[in-house]
Amino acid sequence: MSHQYRRKTIGEILIEQGSLVAAELAFVLDKQTTTPLRFGRICVLDGLVSDEAVARALATQFGYDYAELSDFTMDEELLAELPPDTMYRYRFIPMGRVDDTLVIAIADPTDVVRLDDLEILLDRPLTIRIASESAIETVLKKGEGTSRVLKDVSEDFMLQLVTETEKGEEILSVEKISEDTSPIIKLVNSTIMDALTRRASDIHIEAAMDGVNIKYRIDGVLYKATDPLDSHFQGPIISRLKVMSELDISERRIPQDGRFKVRLKDKAIDFRVSIMPSAFGEDAVIRILDKESIANNLKGLTLEILGISDREISRLRKKIREPYGMVLVTGPTGSGKTTTLYAALSEIHSGEEKVITIEDPVEYLLKGIVQIPVNEKKGLTFARGLRSILRHDPDKIMVGEIRDPETAQIAVQSALTGHLVFTTVHANNIFDVIGRFIHMGIDPYNFVSCLNCVLAQRLVRKLCVKCKRPVQHSDEILMASGLDPELHRHKQFFESRGCTECNGTGYRGRSAIVELLDLNDEMRELLSAKTPIARLKEAAREAGTRFLRESALEKVFEGDTTLKEINRVTFVE
């Protein structure tokens, strides 16, 4: 008597695993009659089970091993054997090899046609393991996928003659990069994709004696993207960027600024391009404005999320809730000034008052707030926009940046006549700000009268939590960092060795360090009397100001960052 074998359904396996109950099984089966989606996908989308549970169930159903990818690191040698874009096109992770067989992790074992194609393409037998879709996506994003495409393209690029092509809106994907025949387009597209994958804020293309260097700024620090390219091809790269940004290709002697937008899958990303003549040709810097990524980061944005210490937050909150005056945030480009102002506005905006901002550009849309983008070409400058804003009956105003005397004058007058003004200015510390405004022709007495507080800010890189470990520093290192070895020799410090989570940098994300000058009557008098900086610092410390270096050391002692990092960002005292 023969027994017919019946494979268990995924629903039955999920119930056996305890991930699903009978009532939910009936609900999903009913829903399957009205949608083409698979059982497991419906479960995940409706939040009944995790995609990890579905992957485990699939592994059980088809008799495969489950692959845990949370701490997985790709093998460089194995990667080098595979065509650069294969992993992206076929959505798999190469996990290792056994003799001539390649062990791979996939999410869908039922797609046998795709697996057959892959086996033919790689020309070797495959051993299948099952992993969740989200885990595969994470490894592909963190892994060497796009950077290997970039490296591969760079090698091709150095061997081929370049032909320039012009197109409209760019839609970037690895498949497109692979299919595109122009090495220039492949290189530029690959660079942009790799930069997005690595969380870069800027792409630097620099012409030098040894060729063209491509670098990414990640968490405020530059990293080389690939080996230098031949300098003969520097011109076509810049020309391609000019075409994308609608700039003048024939003009090579003066700086040019432009912007372009790309659509990556369903996401629109803006890029600002600045091109500058240099000794070896032209250099370009591409600023990435990923508004959707910024929007995700700013959801529920508060001052705590920025990493500002509780003590400074309570002092700052008092000042941003004043009825009028000026709240001034200062620091170099990329120090998080605008994000701090967004956080402050988000906290105080109740809907009962009119809040208007003027920015260049509007980086993130704040709900319930009127935001005006500067447009210099059309004549809408900060000063002109600010004058118009005042006719719109605002209670609170944010000026993205004070760059010129006219804007400074209007902002100070607004703060003196009953408005609460939030703004930023480029200055090194809380006392340099006064000199900047006086240099712009602002009356010192009026300026200090309207000023509620000055917040100087920097960003320090945070240690990667996955690979950080305790370390003991030598007396020499402590002394070089301005610390007394007797007091700090036995303190615990941390460093990171680098892992896939942080792209081997040892750091992931950044945190704000601040110094806050609270303007009381004594401080206003001292500033108006042009008191020497040493006395001002003393008075500020007495009034509760904690300076940038002290704020940075606090982060080190809490295990958030390293001595090397704070020495890069702040002066050793």
Side-chain angles (χ1 to χ4, degrees):
M1 184 178 168
S2 65
H3 292 279
Q4 191 174 1
Y5 169 74
R6 185 182 80 86
R7 179 180 282 155
K8 284 183 181 177
T9 66
I10 193 163
E12 289 168 340
I13 296 167
L14 286 167
I15 287 175
E16 283 175 12
Q17 288 177 351
S19 302
L20 208 64
V21 295
E24 290 169 332
L25 173 66
F27 165 76
V28 178
L29 289 171
D30 184 51
K31 198 164 183 177
Q32 257 194 309
T33 60
T34 60
T35 175
L37 293 173
R38 293 183 177 186
F39 186 94
R41 192 80 191 124
I42 297 170
C43 289
V44 173
L45 290 173
D46 284 3
L48 301 174
V49 298
S50 66
D51 64 344
E52 185 191 340
V54 171
R56 287 183 185 278
L58 278 170
T60 304
Q61 187 182 30
F62 289 94
Y64 292 124
D65 289 337
Y66 174 76
E68 179 56 68
L69 298 178
S70 57
D71 293 318
F72 178 72
T73 306
M74 291 218 205
D75 180 348
E76 291 284 339
E77 285 183 24
L78 186 59
L79 278 176
E81 296 173 13
L82 305 175
D85 59 329
T86 321
M87 293 189 301
Y88 278 81
R89 275 196 285 152
Y90 289 89
R91 315 306 293 171
F92 75 92
I93 303 296
M95 298 194 69
R97 66 170 92 72
V98 179
D99 300 325
D100 191 38
T101 304
L102 181 67
V103 181
I104 65 166
I106 57 165
D108 183 7
T110 63
D111 195 347
V112 289
V113 174
R114 179 176 283 246
L115 287 170
D116 285 347
D117 288 349
L118 181 60
E119 205 162 39
I120 292 163
L121 178 69
L122 299 177
D123 194 25
R124 63 174 81 181
L126 302 175
T127 297
I128 305 299
R129 290 184 187 171
I130 308 297
S132 67
E133 250 179 73
S134 61
I136 289 173
E137 188 69 30
T138 303
V139 175
L140 285 175
K141 275 185 179 175
K142 282 191 299 193
E144 300 302 313
T146 47
S147 54
R148 281 198 56 246
V149 173
L150 174 58
K151 190 175 176 187
D152 181 75
V153 165
S154 308
E155 286 164 6
D156 285 353
F157 172 62
M158 295 167 93
L159 300 171
Q160 294 181 23
L161 196 64
V162 172
T163 54
E164 181 81 23
T165 61
E166 296 183 22
K167 292 186 180 178
E169 188 178 85
E170 293 298 304
I171 298 174
L172 295 185
S173 66
V174 175
E175 291 86 346
K176 187 178 189 305
I177 292 169
S178 308
E179 289 160 11
D180 243 320
T181 51
S182 164
I184 289 291
I185 294 174
K186 284 173 84 173
L187 179 73
V188 173
N189 290 2
S190 304
T191 303
I192 290 169
M193 279 207 65
D194 190 36
L196 290 168
T197 304
R198 293 218 217 161
R199 304 179 299 109
S201 61
D202 302 81
I203 303 167
H204 290 241
I205 297 167
E206 300 172 355
M209 199 176 287
D210 61 342
V212 182
N213 291 305
I214 298 176
K215 300 173 185 173
Y216 302 143
R217 189 177 291 283
I218 303 168
D219 291 334
V221 177
L222 286 174
Y223 295 95
K224 274 198 169 185
T226 183
D227 294 330
L229 308 175
D230 194 295
S231 54
H232 287 99
F233 306 114
Q234 177 263 344
I237 295 172
I238 299 295
S239 293
R240 172 64 184 157
L241 288 173
K242 285 179 180 176
V243 167
M244 291 171 79
S245 313
E246 297 180 348
L247 299 175
D248 184 355
I249 293 180
S250 61
E251 184 53 76
R252 294 189 176 90
R253 293 158 300 176
I254 59 168
Q256 293 190 69
D257 294 314
R259 55 185 66 201
F260 64 90
K261 181 187 279 190
V262 299
R263 191 167 295 283
L264 178 58
K265 295 179 182 169
D266 300 325
K267 188 160 76 166
I269 301 165
D270 290 310
F271 297 83
R272 272 193 297 177
V273 180
S274 179
I275 292 170
M276 178 81 74
S278 72
F280 296 97
E282 287 178 292
D283 288 5
V285 175
I286 306 165
R287 164 63 59 93
I288 300 169
L289 295 170
D290 187 348
K291 289 188 183 179
E292 289 184 35
S293 170
I294 294 168
N296 290 335
N297 293 341
L298 296 191
K299 272 177 187 162
L301 180 67
T302 61
L303 294 165
E304 282 91 355
I305 289 170
L306 304 177
I308 300 172
S309 68
D310 293 343
R311 179 181 176 278
E312 300 303 326
I313 285 174
S314 61
R315 293 178 68 220
L316 181 57
R317 278 196 173 130
K318 207 160 76 179
K319 290 297 166 187
I320 64 176
R321 287 181 167 83
E322 302 266 329
Y324 56 84
M326 184 183 281
V327 173
L328 194 54
V329 182
T330 182
T333 305
S335 59
K337 300 186 297 292
T338 309
T339 308
T340 300
L341 290 183
Y342 279 154
L345 284 176
S346 299
E347 287 205 3
I348 62 170
H349 181 53
S350 61
E352 294 173 359
E353 294 175 307
K354 177 106 170 181
V355 182
I356 307 181
T357 78
I358 179 158
E359 306 167 59
D360 181 25
V362 172
E363 287 183 26
Y364 169 65
L365 299 173
L366 293 164
K367 196 175 178 185
I369 289 174
V370 179
Q371 291 173 275
I372 301 161
V374 163
N375 190 334
E376 305 250 346
K377 283 181 184 171
K378 303 284 185 186
L380 178 54
T381 60
F382 273 114
R384 193 169 175 184
L386 189 48
R387 273 199 299 271
S388 298
I389 283 171
L390 293 170
R391 293 194 284 272
H392 272 252
D393 186 29
D395 297 290
K396 295 176 173 65
I397 301 165
M398 174 181 139
V399 183
E401 187 188 332
I402 290 181
R403 297 175 184 168
D404 57 85
E406 195 181 357
T407 310
Q409 193 70 54
I410 302 166
V412 168
Q413 286 301 321
S414 305
L416 286 168
T417 54
H419 300 94
L420 183 61
V421 178
F422 293 85
T423 189
T424 74
V425 70
H426 288 282
N428 284 327
N429 57 52
I430 51 179
F431 300 115
D432 283 356
V433 170
I434 318 297
R436 288 276 292 129
F437 274 80
I438 291 168
H439 182 70
M440 284 193 268
I442 305 299
D443 177 58
Y445 180 78
N446 279 348
F447 178 57
V448 296
S449 298
C450 80
L451 207 52
N452 292 354
C453 69
V454 184
L455 183 83
Q457 179 170 320
R458 299 288 186 280
L459 294 175
V460 293
R461 291 179 294 168
K462 293 194 293 187
L463 282 166
C464 172
V465 291
K466 282 266 185 181
C467 60
K468 84 170 183 180
R469 58 202 166 104
V471 66
Q472 287 297 124
H473 285 311
S474 66
D475 289 0
E476 288 78 15
I477 290 173
L478 293 173
M479 286 166 70
S481 301
L483 298 176
D484 184 348
E486 292 299 322
L487 295 174
H488 299 96
R489 190 176 289 134
H490 303 296
K491 268 197 178 291
Q492 192 170 58
F493 296 92
F494 288 87
E495 281 187 351
S496 295
R497 60 182 176 273
C499 63
T500 52
E501 195 73 26
C502 57
N503 279 321
T505 63
Y507 299 94
R508 187 168 176 84
R510 288 188 288 175
S511 184
I513 55 169
V514 301
E515 61 184 25
L516 178 65
L517 179 66
D518 185 342
L519 269 287
N520 54 26
D521 291 340
E522 185 199 355
M523 188 57 70
R524 286 193 175 96
E525 281 177 27
L526 290 171
L527 287 168
S528 299
K530 297 183 180 174
T531 308
I533 292 286
R535 173 70 190 103
L536 287 174
K537 280 193 169 184
E538 197 181 302
R541 197 184 291 280
E542 286 166 12
T545 297
R546 187 175 286 167
F547 294 105
L548 278 173
R549 183 68 183 182
E550 294 163 347
S551 181
L553 283 168
E554 204 175 282
K555 295 274 183 198
V556 173
F557 298 143
E558 286 169 359
D560 287 344
T561 190
T562 61
L563 281 177
K564 184 181 175 185
E565 175 66 6
I566 68 159
N567 291 344
R568 182 182 70 85
V569 174
T570 62
F571 283 111
V572 176
E573 291 177 355

